[in-house]
Amino acid sequence: MLYKESNLILFNSYIENAIETLKNKEFDKAKGYILSAMIENHNSPKPHNLLGIYYEMNGCFDLARKHYRASISLDQALESANNNLERICNFKYICSE
């Protein structure tokens, strides 16, 4: 039980650090934290959502959509991933007009 608790603490730490470094536009650090979070919990939708944000912030919209969809496939109720996917899909439509 202690192992699972320490993994959860580590996972949450990676997620929090990823969010903070994305806000500060420290993209290399952010990606490292996101990938570490994925290693700790590959069934969580959060790292995929954050990786989608990372790719969107770096202009890689196809990869962003891919990771938003992966996040939603892991948890359809994750509102942030649904909102991000909707926004990026609408953005592409508006920009292509």
Side-chain angles (χ1 to χ4, degrees):
M1 190 65 137
L2 183 60
Y3 178 74
K4 286 184 180 183
E5 289 176 16
S6 65
N7 279 10
L8 181 60
I9 291 168
L10 188 57
F11 173 79
N12 287 331
S13 172
Y14 288 142
I15 294 295
E16 290 171 15
N17 287 328
I19 291 168
E20 193 61 36
T21 53
L22 281 171
K23 286 180 183 177
N24 294 330
K25 298 182 181 179
E26 299 175 68
F27 297 120
D28 290 338
K29 283 184 180 180
K31 189 173 184 182
Y33 287 128
I34 295 166
L35 295 177
S36 294
M38 283 181 164
I39 290 168
E40 285 301 315
N41 186 352
H42 63 277
N43 291 319
S44 174
K46 291 179 182 180
H48 282 286
N49 187 47
L50 290 173
L51 201 52
I53 293 168
Y54 165 86
Y55 282 125
E56 185 176 357
M57 291 176 80
N58 284 283
C60 301
F61 301 114
D62 288 337
L63 286 171
R65 279 189 291 279
K66 174 184 171 184
H67 284 281
Y68 292 145
R69 286 186 182 109
S71 180
I72 292 166
S73 74
L74 291 167
D75 182 358
Q76 294 178 359
L78 187 64
E79 192 172 328
S80 58
N82 282 299
N83 291 340
N84 291 339
L85 182 61
E86 182 179 349
R87 182 191 64 252
I88 198 169
C89 288
N90 287 335
F91 175 75
K92 182 177 180 181
Y93 177 74
I94 290 169
C95 289
S96 65
E97 287 183 338

